[in-house]
Amino acid sequence: MNKLPPVGAVVDHDGPVVRTHYGTHGEVSHGPLPERDLDALVARQVEAFARRNEPIVWPVYGDARLGEALLAAGFEAEPARAVLACPTGTDTTPLPGIGHDWAGHQRVAALAAATGPHRRPYAEFLADAAHLSQSSEVVLDGDRAAWLEEIGDAMVVGGVTDPGLAATLVDHAWGRSEVRFLRAEVGGPLRDAFEAAGMREVTTVTRYHLPSPGEPARARPVRRLFSEPEHDDIWARFYERFAFRPDTREFPGITEPANSATWYVGDAEDTALDSFLATIHEGLRESVVDGEELYWLDWHHAGYRFDPARVDGAGPRWPGFTFPDGDYHIYLTRDLRLGTFGHPWEETICVFGDLLTRIDDDLTAALGEPIRRSEP
């Protein structure tokens, strides 16, 4: 199946090599590598991650020649682990999944932090928004947890916190016609438990690590939000601060604050909308202080928290949409002092706070005079 890039990540290709840049670190995957110039290929990847100041994780599956090249380039190796596989089971009993229950995810995170190493650390699994995907599973059975992702024709175990879950995962029928195998990368007691349940070794994997040239970023440029208390909190504060009243006929949808203006965008030409979008993005970027993050909210859908200084350009794309295409689209600072409110039924954009002061003239040039103003 085709997968979207992880949230907040950039995917680049160099021949058979795929680099995933997370902002906090980078990972390498690849198909068959060339017989010649392997050292040069490795050097190009090192340079690419160094430009982004990202430490590298490079998993190597049974390829001693590549392992030697990585060691020569300064990488350090984890102990090797077995890659086990077996056909999917036939037990259709529902697994104790946690869905969007944030307390459940936090419980799994605590269990994951006390165990491991895992193929996919649970913090990264959550940051990828894999917990929202129909191609992933999170199991929480008392004090035992596991998380898995569909990759190709296999359900791949990201992590298991207790060997006692091995037989349950091996026996399970995943209910997806594309999934034919279960795969796990494990060692020690987990390997023993999965092999006892019927899995067999198909190769080995060694993860190689190379630190970044400087101190790497601690957070990804973009974080998806849905079931987190943070997401509920900013929506609750938005409702209260702006008296948000969603309606298809009663306008405006908020009590527009002082120092705001509202433009009609329903019949704007594409060129005007392109100019409008660029103006909004640049104005938001210039209106926040260094390191300050923005929220993008989409009514009854997942939202995002992101650093506007680290998106677009070489980073991931700017999250969300300014134009209200089918739903309310909102950009906000955490303290609600500035932002935009897009109303899908009135086909308007309200801009408020210091952002308006910065871009008022440019928006008027692109869209014409606003239909409403609230003075400071």
Side-chain angles (χ1 to χ4, degrees):
M1 62 175 295
N2 294 323
K3 293 185 64 178
L4 294 174
V7 173
V10 174
V11 177
D12 288 332
H13 297 261
D14 181 354
V17 171
V18 179
R19 297 191 305 267
T20 304
H21 300 277
Y22 292 95
T24 53
H25 69 289
E27 294 183 1
V28 178
S29 61
H30 53 81
L33 296 177
E35 293 293 328
R36 301 177 57 187
D37 301 325
L38 185 58
D39 290 341
L41 179 69
V42 169
R44 290 201 304 274
Q45 313 320 311
V46 171
E47 291 170 1
F49 287 110
R51 286 195 296 270
R52 295 173 179 266
N53 195 38
E54 293 174 331
I56 309 171
V57 180
W58 193 321
V60 175
Y61 294 88
D63 188 338
R65 187 175 62 103
L66 175 57
E68 291 171 0
L70 293 177
L71 291 174
F75 285 76
E76 293 186 356
E78 288 183 5
R81 288 186 281 172
V83 179
L84 308 180
C86 69
T88 54
T90 58
D91 186 354
T92 58
T93 304
L95 293 173
I98 58 177
H100 296 163
D101 175 33
W102 186 246
H105 285 291
Q106 294 304 100
R107 177 58 180 154
V108 174
L111 293 169
T115 55
H118 303 292
R119 178 189 178 276
R120 190 70 171 157
Y122 196 67
E124 293 180 21
F125 180 88
L126 285 180
D128 289 346
H131 64 297
L132 296 177
S133 171
Q134 293 181 352
S135 63
S136 67
E137 298 280 349
V138 181
V139 179
L140 179 58
D141 183 12
D143 289 331
R144 306 182 304 179
W147 50 102
L148 307 91
E149 295 180 80
E150 182 182 341
I151 301 177
D153 62 357
M155 284 299 290
V156 179
V157 178
V160 182
T161 65
D162 191 300
L165 274 177
T168 299
L169 300 178
V170 169
D171 292 340
H172 190 63
W174 296 98
R176 300 179 176 92
S177 59
E178 299 86 354
V179 173
R180 300 169 52 224
F181 300 97
L182 179 71
R183 193 166 77 234
E185 300 176 7
V186 288
L190 277 175
R191 174 178 181 172
D192 296 339
F194 276 108
E195 287 185 325
M199 299 190 81
R200 295 294 178 261
E201 180 177 330
V202 293
T203 187
T204 61
V205 60
T206 302
R207 280 181 160 70
Y208 291 80
H209 298 263
L210 186 70
S212 55
E215 183 68 23
R218 296 182 178 274
R220 294 188 190 184
V222 180
R223 175 67 184 262
R224 191 177 185 183
L225 303 173
F226 185 70
S227 55
E228 295 88 331
E230 175 184 3
H231 191 241
D232 294 341
D233 171 71
I234 193 162
W235 263 115
R237 292 191 292 114
F238 176 78
Y239 266 87
E240 180 178 5
R241 167 70 175 80
F242 295 94
F244 179 42
R245 43 193 182 273
D247 196 286
T248 60
R249 292 169 294 182
E250 296 293 329
F251 309 140
I254 59 173
T255 299
E256 294 171 337
N259 194 27
S260 70
T262 299
W263 282 266
Y264 177 68
V265 295
D267 57 5
E269 299 290 337
D270 288 346
T271 54
L273 288 178
D274 289 343
S275 175
F276 155 76
L277 182 64
T279 298
I280 291 287
H281 286 185
E282 190 60 27
L284 285 167
R285 185 179 284 116
E286 294 178 354
S287 296
V288 298
V289 300
D290 289 345
E292 184 179 15
E293 294 179 310
L294 290 169
Y295 289 89
W296 180 74
L297 304 180
D298 184 2
W299 196 50
H300 289 321
H301 296 83
Y304 296 91
R305 171 169 42 85
F306 67 99
D307 183 345
R310 298 171 64 200
V311 297
D312 288 345
R317 73 171 182 83
W318 187 284
F321 307 94
T322 305
F323 184 77
D325 184 12
D327 218 330
Y328 301 94
H329 292 164
I330 305 162
Y331 284 110
L332 286 171
T333 52
R334 184 187 297 270
D335 61 7
L336 313 184
R337 74 181 187 278
L338 62 86
T340 68
F341 172 76
H343 196 303
W345 314 118
E346 192 184 28
E347 297 184 290
T348 56
I349 298 289
C350 177
V351 179
F352 57 91
D354 290 344
L355 176 62
L356 176 65
T357 304
R358 189 177 299 274
I359 66 174
D360 193 344
D361 291 343
D362 290 335
L363 286 188
T364 298
L367 301 173
E369 290 295 326
I371 63 171
R372 290 189 298 271
R373 278 193 182 275
S374 295
E375 298 302 327

